[in-house]
Amino acid sequence: MNIGLIDVDSHNFPNLCLMKLSAYHKARGHQVFWWNPLFHFDLVYQSRVFTDTYSKDILPVNNADQVIKGGTGYGPGPDLPDEVEHFYPDYDLYPQYSKTAYGFLSRGCPRGCGFCIVGGKEGRRSRKVADLSEFWRGQREIKLLDANLLACPDHEALLQQLADSRALVDFSQGLDIRFVNRDNIVLLNQVRTKAVHFAWDNPEEDLTGHFRRFLEQTTVKNSRNRRVYVLTNYGSTHEQDLYRVETLRGLGYDPYVMIFEKPTAPPITRHLQRWVNNKRLFYAVPSFSDYEPVKKLLGGGLETR
């Protein structure tokens, strides 16, 4: 069979689903290629992670006997068959990322946040789905895609696997600060990381105490290696957004503003993102009110919400 692959997103990030499908079909002697409109394919897989707000599905596929579309960008299901899910990914698809291992140790999240599809797609319980050896074979870096690793009952054993690898680990989706405790902080201290990512999404939930306790016990000393995602434009006011940013900076964390549905965000929120996420600017101009574009914006009497 001739198998075609389409990575709809192409956002400088490898598509793990396509990597596993490629490995599965190659193991069965099939020919696997990136889709090309000039050739005929027996089967084409079209994968999209992001919604059409960020990834446009504009390729008409008329040269295949069968086309299968999947990924969270298309909505729930279909999931990969279990035998494909546990295949070692084909890193030859993305040679520029071959020095990094990508994968999931756990799936699911108990939180059920309205802006996140994980609870509906993977379940409201975090559970172990793999050991590290399933997708890591000595690469220097590991990029974990887990939604809520610390909520998994097996997370301490999984953290130990990461620590034993001595690879540089990126908890790319962030760790849930509410599940941090003395025991797992000891394990986190053993994991080699570029940075530890957390999130403060809900402005109605005061996480200050959790962040302070982690700070007292962590060995990650550089504030820029303790990053916290701050969700904005999702039911929060500008004042609540700024409070979280300032509180995190005051505690010794590096805030990073994420905007939900950016096209609908008010100007003040977009300015907040530019100010916070440009770290040279963030530390050179300590107060948001002193940020020149904001002076002009507020001087014009525009709304901040």
Side-chain angles (χ1 to χ4, degrees):
M1 293 178 66
N2 287 329
I3 308 297
L5 307 176
I6 299 176
D7 181 349
V8 178
D9 304 295
S10 296
H11 287 171
N12 300 315
F13 199 91
N15 187 299
L16 188 60
C17 175
L18 294 181
M19 293 165 72
K20 292 183 178 182
L21 285 166
S22 177
Y24 172 81
H25 281 284
K26 285 182 178 179
R28 278 149 182 74
H30 301 158
Q31 300 294 311
V32 180
F33 310 93
W34 288 114
W35 177 79
N36 188 315
L38 301 179
F39 303 116
H40 179 269
F41 294 92
D42 298 289
L43 173 62
V44 168
Y45 293 104
Q46 193 165 337
S47 179
R48 185 172 78 181
V49 176
F50 300 99
T51 64
D52 58 8
T53 302
Y54 302 98
S55 296
K56 301 297 182 182
D57 186 354
I58 59 175
L59 290 174
V61 181
N62 302 314
N63 58 336
D65 295 337
Q66 183 182 9
V67 178
I68 298 178
K69 294 185 178 183
T72 54
Y74 291 119
D79 294 331
L80 289 177
D82 194 62
E83 60 179 330
V84 178
E85 180 65 52
H86 295 283
F87 248 79
Y88 182 76
D90 179 8
Y91 287 95
D92 288 341
L93 284 183
Y94 299 92
Q96 66 272 40
Y97 302 114
S98 61
K99 294 181 180 179
T100 301
Y102 296 80
F104 293 85
L105 294 173
S106 66
R107 294 275 194 172
C109 177
R111 297 301 180 187
C113 301
F115 56 84
C116 179
I117 67 169
V118 171
K121 184 175 185 293
E122 300 180 1
R124 293 286 299 275
R125 181 177 66 87
S126 180
R127 66 199 185 283
K128 176 184 174 181
V129 295
D131 286 304
L132 181 59
S133 58
E134 186 170 298
F135 61 88
W136 175 76
R137 292 183 181 171
Q139 290 94 327
R140 292 184 298 179
E141 296 187 16
I142 297 169
K143 192 174 288 287
L144 278 190
L145 308 178
D146 301 43
N148 200 330
L149 176 63
L150 297 186
C152 175
D154 300 302
H155 77 271
E156 291 190 3
L158 295 173
L159 287 175
Q160 190 64 62
Q161 290 182 22
L162 293 170
D164 292 343
S165 76
R166 302 312 299 152
L168 204 56
V169 179
D170 178 6
F171 299 96
S172 65
Q173 303 306 301
L175 295 169
D176 193 333
I177 192 71
R178 293 161 290 189
F179 285 114
V180 164
N181 57 49
R182 186 175 297 277
D183 292 335
N184 57 34
I185 289 178
V186 170
L187 288 168
L188 283 169
N189 286 338
Q190 297 175 27
V191 177
R192 295 183 64 228
T193 58
K194 282 185 177 179
V196 179
H197 300 92
F198 296 106
W200 190 349
D201 296 322
N202 183 0
E204 303 295 337
E205 189 172 9
D206 189 356
L207 303 181
T208 306
H210 295 284
F211 284 115
R212 185 175 287 115
R213 280 191 293 274
F214 177 78
L215 196 63
E216 292 170 352
Q217 300 172 50
T218 183
T219 58
V220 181
K221 298 304 181 184
N222 190 330
S223 64
R224 298 196 188 192
N225 292 338
R226 297 188 298 265
R227 172 160 289 182
V228 182
Y229 300 124
V230 177
L231 181 68
T232 63
N233 200 40
Y234 190 80
S236 63
T237 65
H238 170 65
E239 290 74 20
Q240 289 174 321
D241 297 339
L242 188 59
Y243 171 79
R244 284 176 289 164
V245 166
E246 296 289 11
T247 299
L248 289 166
R249 177 159 66 172
L251 287 171
Y253 289 86
D254 181 31
Y256 189 87
V257 170
M258 308 287 286
I259 300 180
F260 182 78
E261 294 186 349
K262 192 170 183 176
T264 69
I268 194 71
T269 302
R270 298 188 188 199
H271 283 306
L272 181 68
Q273 184 186 53
R274 294 189 191 103
W275 175 65
V276 173
N277 296 358
N278 183 330
K279 296 308 172 184
R280 181 177 297 179
L281 182 64
F282 187 53
Y283 290 102
V285 184
S287 175
F288 184 56
S289 60
D290 291 331
Y291 180 37
E292 196 61 35
V294 172
K295 287 183 179 180
K296 295 178 181 178
L297 182 68
L298 298 181
L302 295 182
E303 289 288 332
T304 62
R305 354 181 142 211

